[in-house]
Structures are given as structure tokens and as C-alpha cells.
Amino acid sequence: MPQPDLTLTPAGPALAPRYSDRRTAVPSRPTHTPGHTHTRPRPHTHTHTPRNAYLRLFAVPGAPAFIVGNLIARLPMGMFGVSAVIMIAAAYDSYALAGGVTATGMAAGALTAPWIARLVDRYGQARIAVPATVYAVLGHLVLLLCVHEKAPVWALFATAALTATAPNTGGMSRARWAHLLKGDRDALHTANAFEQATDELCFMLGPVVAALLCSTLFPEAGTLVGAALFLTGVLVFAAQRSTEPPVSPRTVAGSPLRVPGMAPLLAVFLATGAVFGSMEVVTVAYVDGPLAGPVLALQAAGSCAAGLLYGHARRAFRLRTCLAAMTVLMTMPLLTASTGSLLALAGGLLLAGMATAPTMVTGMGLVQRLTPASQLNEGMTLAVTALLGGIAAGSATGGWAADHAPFAFFGFLVPAAAAAVALTLCAATRVGGRA
């Protein structure tokens, strides 16, 4: 069955009529008949384009199916980190070790992700993502067994690296939108905001689900359920072949790292990732209980809400402006944690999260504009790789700060400092001067 063609209209993407459908098409000229002149009335059409920008995304043929599959696949991304921290800390009584092991897995993923993305660009999403996910799930299960059996510490670091083949599901979804909405910058901005809001939704629900599973069942439950969801979601997503971007031919353009402006932008992503990684670990350590997941989820809730509002904006802010707002708002968890009130900390995390999604949407938009179309998966995965590298460094630093804190809220200095570093790098390199 032939796939529907898309045409871009001022209202968004719509189905273009095929040759066999020309009997329903509207004539372009008046039709004259002998004896009188009249204009043939337009035939009644049942096509209704939603006015809401996000509903127009769901009206794109095939989009709902790949959105659902990708949502299932991305939910574990918010589960694995918290699950590993709780699982390892419970078995070895060390948040520093837990942060170091999760950082090792992220660092290994940062090294392998660009190569996997290059294979995706060259051979297709379904052909590469499925086996890569199977290997990553096996890695998580091996790590679970090692922790359960209290294997030597070196074994935890070694097995954490086995999870590094996980494909960039968010990048693959954004690549599909870039393919389906090619040429419509406003619709693509909305799609990017939707994807970022989806990321935040997963990071909002993931820690809650992980903390509940680990605390009510057993410490390894979060990792076990996350692995099952990850594999299921990727299988559903990969099965949606009608929206999969075409395979790009081999290119001699080299790595997207050579594109002017890409390297400094990735440095900003690296520092921004340290904000996320450190915030997760220091919050879990500060709360130290089953409420850690729900409290941490409030940061993602604030980001999700801000991302959806940002998607309705007619233009993006400058990256420097977004980072300045993030730097200011990341001081809120530090100030509220100093009061000793868990409720105040929850409010501080909610406010801090409101700068996250606009920053990421703006940054990913810059990556898409800098990267050649034939290397889009690789370019966006390089951005995610930089984020993972920053998250790894932030997790390790946050774990150290939690274990050696001279006072309870000391760890929250780390994400605030990382945000300031990201802003300084952006200002110094003048990356993203224009939205």
C-alpha cells in the first residue's frame, strides 16, 4: 500500500492528493459552459486541520504510533539512573560508588553513541536500533546480577560499560519530525518542544516509578522493569516503517564536529549535562528515602510545563538568555534546601526546572540547523553524547559532594556552579548568538 505524501500548508502538514484522487481536487480555474458563465463551486471537504499546534503534530499520518513507541522506550531513561543509584547504594552503602558506576555507564555511552547514530543514518533506524537495544538490555541485566551477588567493585564498573550500546531514541524521533516537517520551521519548533516535553515527562515519571519499585518491591526492581520497557518501546517504534527517514548515502563530509560552531555548542551541552547529573544524585542523597523520586520529578514537571508553553512561542530565545535564566533558577534548590524543609526543596526544584526545556529546545534547534541533513542522527547524538558526558561528570561530582558534605545542602552547589559554567562558555564562544 503506497504511503501518503505530505505537503506543508500554512496550517501545518497535510495530505497531498495523489493522481488517483484528482476527481476530488479543487479546480484551479473557473469552468465555462455554453450559454452562461459560472464558477464551479468548491466540493465539500471533510478535512479539518486542528488549530492547536500540538494537535497538528498528531494529525501527521503515522505520527501517533511512533510517538507512543518512543514514549515507552524513553521512560526507562528516567529510571535507569535512579534505579542504579538506589540499587548500588543499598548493596554497598556508598553513594560515591553508585555515582561513579552510573557515570561510567554514561561515559561509555558517550563514546559509542555517535558511532551507533552514524550506523542509523547509513543503514536505517529499525535495522540498527533493535540489536543495539538488545545488547544494552543485556548489559543492564548483567549489572543487576552483579549488584545482587555483591560482586567486586571493579565488576560493577566493567558491566556498567556493557549498557553503552543503547540507541538515542529521542534523536531518532526528532529525525523523524525533521523528515516529516521539512521546510516548515514553525512546525519543527513545535515538534522539538514536544520532544523536549516528552523527555521531561519521562524524567518526571521515571524517577517516581523507579523509586516506588525499588522501595516497595526490591532494590533491583527498577532496573528490571526499565529494561523490559526499553526493549518493548524500541520494538514498537522500529515497527513504524512508514515514518522512518530514508537511509542517507555515504557522505564525504566527515564528522559534524567539523561544522563551524558545533564544537563550542557541544562544550555548552557538556556543562549543561553536569547540571542534570549532579542534581539527580544530590537530591536522592539529600532526601534519602522513597520520597526522592517524587521530589526529583518536580524539576522535570516544571521543565515539561515550560517546554509546552515554549512550543507555542513564535520564535525561540537566544541560547545565552536561556542559560542565564537557568543559572539564576538553579540557585533555588540550594536556597530552599538550606531551610531544611522538604516541601520548600520541592518548590525550588519545580522553579529550577522551568529553564531546562527552553534551553534544550533552543540548543537542539541550533544542532539541527548546523548539521547536514544526511548526518542529522549523528549530529543530534553528538549533542546527547556531550550531555551524557556532562551527566556522568555531574553524577560523579554530585556523589562525592553528597558523601563529603560539610552540611546537608552542600551538594546543591554543584548544579548551580555547572549552570554558571555553561553560561560562561556560551558567552565566551558566542555560540547561538541568534535563535
Side-chain angles (χ1 to χ4, degrees):
M1 181 178 180
Q3 301 173 9
D5 294 328
L6 288 177
T7 183
L8 294 172
T9 71
L15 286 174
R18 292 187 172 275
Y19 292 109
S20 59
D21 298 326
R22 285 187 176 182
R23 63 182 181 275
T24 63
V26 179
S28 58
R29 296 192 303 269
T31 302
H32 301 278
T33 58
H36 64 282
T37 301
H38 68 278
T39 301
R40 180 178 298 174
R42 290 179 178 269
H44 178 70
T45 176
H46 297 284
T47 302
H48 174 68
T49 302
R51 297 184 63 181
N52 184 278
Y54 291 107
L55 293 179
R56 289 200 295 270
L57 295 181
F58 281 85
V60 176
F66 86 75
I67 289 173
V68 171
N70 202 265
L71 178 63
I72 298 172
R74 283 152 84 170
L75 179 61
M77 298 300 103
M79 297 176 61
F80 284 136
V82 172
S83 296
V85 169
I86 295 174
M87 178 174 67
I88 296 170
Y92 293 85
D93 194 27
S94 173
Y95 280 107
L97 175 62
V101 172
T102 56
T104 299
M106 292 175 186
L111 294 175
T112 59
W115 298 100
I116 294 173
R118 183 172 294 183
L119 292 174
V120 168
D121 282 328
R122 187 169 298 175
Y123 298 107
Q125 293 184 354
R127 187 175 177 183
I128 300 300
V130 173
T133 300
V134 171
Y135 293 137
V137 166
L138 289 175
H140 284 290
L141 295 179
V142 172
L143 176 61
L144 182 151
L145 291 174
C146 288
V147 174
H148 182 72
E149 298 298 326
K150 291 190 177 180
V153 170
W154 65 264
L156 303 186
F157 287 95
T159 54
L162 297 179
T163 65
T165 62
N168 177 15
T169 52
M172 291 191 297
S173 186
R174 287 176 172 90
R176 293 197 181 208
W177 287 123
H179 167 63
L180 296 172
L181 304 176
K182 185 180 299 182
D184 191 338
R185 183 169 176 176
D186 290 340
L188 188 56
H189 171 74
T190 302
N192 284 335
F194 173 78
E195 289 297 321
Q196 189 60 40
T198 301
D199 281 339
E200 302 303 335
L201 178 64
C202 292
F203 280 102
M204 177 175 61
L205 296 178
V208 176
V209 174
L212 289 176
L213 289 172
C214 294
S215 60
T216 59
L217 297 179
F218 47 91
E220 298 87 358
T223 299
L224 191 62
V225 173
L229 289 174
F230 186 33
L231 181 59
T232 301
V234 170
L235 290 175
V236 173
F237 176 79
Q240 314 309 315
R241 305 300 293 270
S242 65
T243 54
E244 183 176 351
V247 174
S248 302
R250 287 180 176 269
T251 177
V252 295
S255 171
L257 279 171
R258 300 180 182 180
V259 176
M262 181 65 79
L265 179 58
L266 294 182
V268 173
F269 271 90
L270 182 70
T272 305
V275 177
F276 307 146
S278 58
M279 184 66 78
E280 180 177 284
V281 174
V282 300
T283 302
V284 171
Y286 181 87
V287 178
D288 194 23
L291 290 178
V295 170
L296 187 61
L298 286 173
Q299 181 188 357
S303 182
C304 182
L308 291 174
L309 291 174
Y310 192 55
H312 280 289
R314 294 190 176 275
R315 64 180 300 274
F317 296 113
R318 294 197 309 170
L319 183 60
R320 189 185 309 176
T321 303
C322 295
L323 288 170
M326 176 181 281
T327 302
V328 172
L329 291 178
M330 281 300 159
T331 63
M332 297 306 298
L334 175 65
L335 296 175
T336 53
S338 66
T339 65
S341 169
L342 194 59
L343 185 61
L345 174 62
L349 288 170
L350 181 68
L351 290 174
M354 291 183 177
T356 302
T359 301
M360 295 308 303
V361 171
T362 302
M364 283 297 183
L366 287 171
V367 172
Q368 288 177 341
R369 291 198 289 276
L370 289 174
T371 307
S374 63
Q375 298 175 300
L376 194 54
N377 276 296
E378 185 178 356
M380 288 190 292
T381 301
L382 283 172
V384 174
T385 297
L387 281 172
L388 286 175
I391 291 173
S395 295
T397 306
W400 180 90
D403 277 355
H404 299 84
F407 43 88
F409 58 92
F410 176 78
F412 288 100
L413 285 168
V414 179
V421 171
L423 174 61
T424 302
L425 287 172
C426 183
T429 59
R430 297 182 181 180
V431 66
R434 293 180 298 174

